[in-house]
Amino acid sequence: MISVSDEILSINSLVIGYNFRKRSVPLLPPVTASADKGELVALLGRNGIGKSTLLRSVTGLQKPLEGSVRINNEDALLFSRVKFARSVGYISTEIVKVSHMRVYDLVALGRFPYTDWIGRIDQKTDELIKGSIVKAGLADYNDRFISELSDGERQRAMIARVLAQDTDIMIMDEPLAFLDISGKYSIIRLMKELTAGGKTIIFSTHDFNIAVNHSDRIWLMNDHGLKEGAPEDLWLGNEFECLFDSEHTGFNPEDGSFLFGLPTRGKIFLEGGDGRLRYWTVKALKRAGFTITKKNDLPCKKLHVDNSGWIFSTGDTTKSYKTLYELVKQLKNQ
Amino acid sequence: MQAGLKNISIDSLFSPVTKRRSIFLVLVILLLVFFFLDLFLGSVTIKPADVLKALAGKADGTVDTIVMKFRLPKAITAILAGIALSLSGLQMQTIFRNPMAGPYVLGVSSGAGLGVALVILGSSAGIAPGSMLTSGNWILVTSACIGAGAVMMLIMFISARVRSIMTVLIIGMMLGSGISAIVSILQYFSNETMLKAYVVWTMGSLGNLSTGQLNVLSLSVGAGVVLSIISVKMLNALLIGENYASSSGLNVTSSRIVIFACTSILSGSVTAFCGPIAFIGIAVPHLVRNLLKTSDHRLLVPGTVFTGAIIMLVSDILSQLPGSENVLPVNSVTSLIGIPVVIWIILRNNRNSELF
């Protein structure tokens, strides 16, 4: 069981939605979830289900219709704006475009809940701001204009701003959007570093692979509310099916690979090959719609693989291939 | 070799702080230079020495009258108007997150104008002319500020729903046209004297302010400047958008009320006494941002105060066409200065899609 002292955020029977003509319109049935100190929590769910609304409610930017949000075991819905800002930092999908704003200026805005009426920055604050920039991996970027940054660098600058805000919880709405693959992994690495340092990060994403492979906990939103747990617990409970709205697509419950539900083309006996070569050969065959058998009880279709190439034999004919592309193309045409 | 040469630039020779200090020093000097130039130059040629004598109170009748009753009040009005319009433009650009925002383009000046029209033209219908002299200045300013504030609210309401900068701009122009239509109707039903007073007002002028009016204007602009200084931290937070500002601890609603009040007072009071003055409010903040290379309002607000005052003094000097007896409407001069800046912003925005 989760020990009470570690729990930093709990959402209890929260009803998110909006008010329309004095009537409340809930988006989902009540939602219950929690997060512990130092956890990386991924929020998954189909488009339009209310991920952003949930994150905005946790940040205090939007009042929930019912239910409670507790931060460090205090009722967060009673927090003042400044107290909220000292507990929860927020990064939305909105791209900040301001001319003549330097990275340092942007990060300095994170000190808003701590500075005096005119926002004076003393030496201690200055060191904190510069430290946050370094922590976010942007050392030497202090004087760069944010309009000149790449998408990944801008996301880091936004993270540095929240670090300067010095909150226990960081909320990020799709921090991996707009980023290329190396950008995505470098940001997720930074997020993991920060959670290892004691921050709790809750982020929404559509990148399923990153979510299930790298987060400590998943909040999975579906039409019935929210399921939470370690990614592997959710695999075992077959919970991810809800992400698909068609019966033809889904996950293979055995290994978590993605299924299109296309007709299979039969079985192939595969022999030979070392680990790496064999692994990618299996991938290619599965992609082409074949299943692999370990027993040689179907002598009609047999694939031999070694370092010189692939040799495919069906009873009487035998043909060799130099690349997997040629092999798959030939197999599909049969 | 070439790269090595490139690195030796002004940036590396001076630290940003020293550079900014020298920019502010230059601004103060320019302000003084143009203030005195504005006093020295005019349709009547007076020797600078005589002007200085008049300022010290040691000049004879005509020179004393020209300098103390006409040139000095006009120069002070120019400074106040420059400060007020530029500051209100800066605040509007930040709060609407729109580089093209300004009191004139968004129709806020027209809103103030409607307030003025209701007072000037409305007074011909009912209010006794005598009451205009005593409490009239405050009534004029108040109704102009309310008019400006009302248009601000409308634009805010619209820009919360419409993301596109250009759409908001077009709607601002529509509001301006709608308001002039209402003013035309008012003109149609008002008497000749008041109609003339209103038409003269629309041409925009820095002169013609009575001592009482100048006092009211000084107090209003002073209040606006104080409010601007108070709202510096809020403006900085609002730069990155309401969601981020709110998540970093800003009470968006109350800060918006403060900034709206400030902008309405600044643009309303100047418009009430000087008429609608075009393009200063939109152009000056951009000049200052490019001069100081910062987005920090702790620097932008004082920078805008000085630059706005300087640009308005220059406009006033140019409008007098030094060396001739003719005087141009100050509005034409400010437009000729401001419009190139606005076009430059549009072109720059198209190139790198920056907000402001």
Side-chain angles (χ1 to χ4, degrees):
Chain A
M1 283 304 289
I2 299 159
S3 72
V4 179
S5 59
D6 270 2
E7 191 175 272
I8 196 157
L9 171 74
S10 72
I11 298 168
N12 307 305
S13 309
L14 196 76
V15 181
I16 53 167
Y18 52 94
N19 286 303
F20 181 69
R21 291 188 184 153
K22 290 180 183 171
R23 271 179 37 221
S24 51
V25 184
L27 288 172
L28 278 180
V31 163
T32 298
S34 61
D36 284 7
K37 189 171 160 54
E39 274 189 338
L40 183 61
V41 181
L43 175 60
L44 291 172
R46 62 171 171 77
N47 270 340
I49 200 158
K51 295 192 294 292
S52 295
T53 315
L54 178 65
L55 293 182
R56 286 171 59 84
S57 299
V58 175
T59 318
L61 292 174
Q62 191 166 339
K63 281 246 175 294
L65 301 174
E66 273 172 56
S68 75
V69 176
R70 297 184 76 81
I71 293 169
N72 275 325
N73 222 15
E74 285 181 82
D75 187 351
L77 299 179
L78 302 175
F79 282 8
S80 69
R81 256 314 348 138
V82 169
K83 179 146 193 208
F84 236 122
R86 290 181 180 188
S87 316
V88 185
Y90 175 68
I91 298 173
S92 75
T93 47
E94 199 179 334
I95 294 170
V96 171
K97 287 182 188 169
V98 183
S99 73
H100 300 115
M101 182 181 261
R102 291 167 203 273
V103 170
Y104 182 91
D105 299 327
L106 177 69
V107 178
L109 290 176
R111 295 308 292 168
F112 187 95
Y114 305 94
T115 52
D116 63 2
W117 66 277
I118 202 164
R120 197 172 293 127
I121 291 163
D122 54 22
Q123 206 195 331
K124 210 177 141 201
T125 312
D126 176 65
E127 280 163 14
L128 224 154
I129 293 166
K130 286 176 178 159
S132 306
I133 297 173
V134 173
K135 255 190 236 166
L138 287 178
D140 301 330
Y141 275 67
N142 292 3
D143 286 332
R144 288 275 293 272
F145 289 120
I146 56 166
S147 50
E148 295 166 353
L149 299 181
S150 70
D151 290 335
E153 289 165 343
R154 193 181 297 115
Q155 197 60 268
R156 281 172 182 274
M158 295 307 285
I159 291 173
R161 184 188 68 92
V162 177
L163 288 178
Q165 207 171 317
D166 197 18
T167 58
D168 290 334
I169 302 171
M170 286 169 72
I171 304 280
M172 300 175 159
D173 199 352
E174 300 210 24
L176 308 176
F178 316 117
L179 300 179
D180 60 18
I181 187 152
S182 100
K184 272 183 189 177
Y185 280 95
S186 81
I187 292 290
I188 202 83
R189 190 199 142 108
L190 172 62
M191 286 158 70
K192 284 189 83 104
E193 278 169 20
L194 295 173
T195 50
K199 298 251 180 221
T200 304
I201 299 182
I202 297 158
F203 72 106
S204 68
T205 183
H206 284 294
D207 199 315
F208 185 79
N209 275 321
I210 285 182
V212 296
N213 288 317
H214 300 283
S215 54
D216 300 305
R217 191 192 284 246
I218 299 235
W219 290 0
L220 181 65
M221 284 176 95
N222 57 40
D223 293 319
H224 311 292
L226 189 151
K227 278 268 189 306
E228 65 170 332
E232 297 76 14
D233 287 331
L234 299 182
W235 276 128
L236 290 173
N238 280 341
E239 301 289 354
F240 291 122
E241 288 303 315
C242 70
L243 291 171
F244 298 96
D245 52 7
S246 154
E247 56 191 84
H248 298 302
T249 50
F251 290 114
N252 182 345
E254 298 304 318
D255 61 357
S257 62
F258 183 75
L259 295 176
F260 286 103
L262 294 173
T264 55
R265 292 170 191 267
K267 294 178 177 177
I268 289 184
F269 170 67
L270 179 66
E271 74 169 12
D274 65 344
R276 208 168 109 81
L277 195 55
R278 189 182 171 92
Y279 175 81
W280 290 109
T281 306
V282 170
K283 277 251 176 197
L285 291 174
K286 282 188 173 170
R287 178 165 61 85
F290 291 94
T291 47
I292 316 296
T293 65
K294 286 177 181 138
K295 283 177 285 177
N296 193 5
D297 57 357
L298 289 160
C300 52
K301 282 186 183 177
K302 179 181 158 192
L303 183 68
H304 176 82
V305 55
D306 58 35
N307 285 331
S308 61
W310 292 265
I311 301 160
F312 181 68
S313 50
T314 49
D316 45 343
T317 60
T318 301
K319 211 173 171 191
S320 68
Y321 301 92
K322 284 280 168 229
T323 63
L324 280 170
Y325 177 81
E326 289 169 15
L327 172 72
V328 168
K329 194 172 175 186
Q330 186 62 42
L331 288 176
K332 277 184 174 175
N333 287 339
Q334 281 183 355
Chain B
M1 197 58 211
Q2 224 167 359
L5 280 175
K6 255 184 198 169
N7 282 339
I8 306 168
S9 63
I10 301 168
D11 287 72
S12 59
L13 288 176
F14 301 106
S15 78
V17 180
T18 343
K19 215 171 127 191
R20 275 182 199 139
R21 274 197 195 133
S22 35
I23 289 173
F24 273 105
L25 187 69
V26 170
L27 286 178
V28 173
I29 293 168
L30 281 178
L31 179 63
L32 289 172
V33 167
F34 285 113
F35 177 69
F36 283 107
L37 268 182
D38 199 23
L39 293 177
F40 295 159
L41 299 170
S43 33
V44 180
T45 317
I46 303 172
K47 273 188 234 156
D50 291 337
V51 172
L52 292 176
K53 251 188 219 168
L55 285 176
K58 292 174 192 159
D60 60 6
T62 10
V63 173
D64 184 66
T65 312
I66 291 173
V67 172
M68 299 305 282
K69 288 273 156 64
F70 291 96
R71 289 192 186 176
L72 186 62
K74 194 148 79 84
I76 292 172
T77 309
I79 291 173
L80 291 173
I83 291 172
L85 292 172
S86 313
L87 269 184
S88 76
L90 176 70
Q91 290 173 335
M92 282 182 204
Q93 284 167 14
T94 299
I95 201 166
F96 293 128
R97 300 181 75 204
N98 187 335
M100 302 301 288
Y104 190 77
V105 258
L106 285 185
V108 176
S109 296
S110 308
L114 178 63
V116 171
L118 284 173
V119 173
I120 296 182
L121 303 175
S123 65
S124 61
I127 308 163
S131 69
M132 283 291 290
L133 294 172
T134 49
S135 58
N137 292 332
W138 284 110
I139 293 173
L140 199 68
V141 165
T142 311
S143 64
C145 292
I146 291 171
V151 173
M152 286 276 291
M153 302 281 262
L154 260 174
I155 299 277
M156 188 84 243
F157 182 78
I158 292 160
S159 66
R161 276 152 191 78
V162 184
R163 274 258 160 261
S164 156
I165 291 168
M166 291 303 156
T167 313
V168 173
L169 219 70
I170 291 165
I171 290 170
M173 286 163 72
M174 290 295 142
L175 277 176
S177 305
I179 290 166
S180 15
I182 298 172
V183 172
S184 311
I185 296 169
L186 283 173
Q187 286 175 330
Y188 188 77
F189 288 108
S190 63
N191 70 31
E192 260 178 59
T193 335
M194 290 305 179
L195 187 60
K196 193 180 171 220
Y198 182 76
V199 170
V200 168
W201 173 86
T202 55
M203 289 175 177
S205 163
L206 298 170
N208 311 332
L209 261 74
S210 70
T211 317
Q213 287 174 327
L214 196 54
N215 286 341
V216 173
L217 183 63
S218 311
L219 282 172
S220 309
V221 175
V225 171
V226 170
L227 280 175
S228 307
I229 294 167
I230 290 172
S231 52
V232 154
K233 191 182 171 185
M234 307 171 192
L235 287 167
N236 275 343
L238 283 169
L239 268 180
I240 53 172
E242 275 166 34
N243 279 328
Y244 285 130
S246 180
S247 80
S248 39
L250 180 79
N251 187 330
V252 172
T253 315
S254 64
S255 57
R256 201 184 262 168
I257 291 170
V258 173
I259 296 166
F260 266 38
C262 179
T263 308
S264 305
I265 291 171
L266 286 171
S267 58
S269 60
V270 170
T271 311
F273 294 127
C274 307
I277 293 174
F279 295 109
I280 289 292
I282 182 172
V284 170
H286 287 284
L287 294 176
V288 177
R289 276 189 209 103
N290 277 282
L291 192 66
L292 296 172
K293 299 258 179 285
T294 183
S295 63
D296 187 348
H297 288 80
R298 284 179 300 164
L299 296 163
L300 289 179
V301 165
T304 304
V305 165
F306 287 120
T307 313
I310 292 167
I311 299 268
M312 207 63 205
L313 283 171
V314 172
S315 306
D316 188 41
I317 293 167
L318 292 176
S319 77
Q320 293 163 44
L321 294 171
S324 95
E325 286 180 16
N326 298 315
V327 177
L328 295 177
V330 73
N331 229 338
S332 334
V333 181
T334 58
S335 299
L336 288 175
I337 293 176
I339 287 171
V341 176
V342 174
I343 291 172
W344 162 66
I345 301 159
I346 296 173
L347 292 177
R348 192 193 64 173
N349 258 32
N350 268 352
R351 209 169 48 236
N352 54 14
S353 73
E354 270 175 40
L355 249 173
F356 58 112

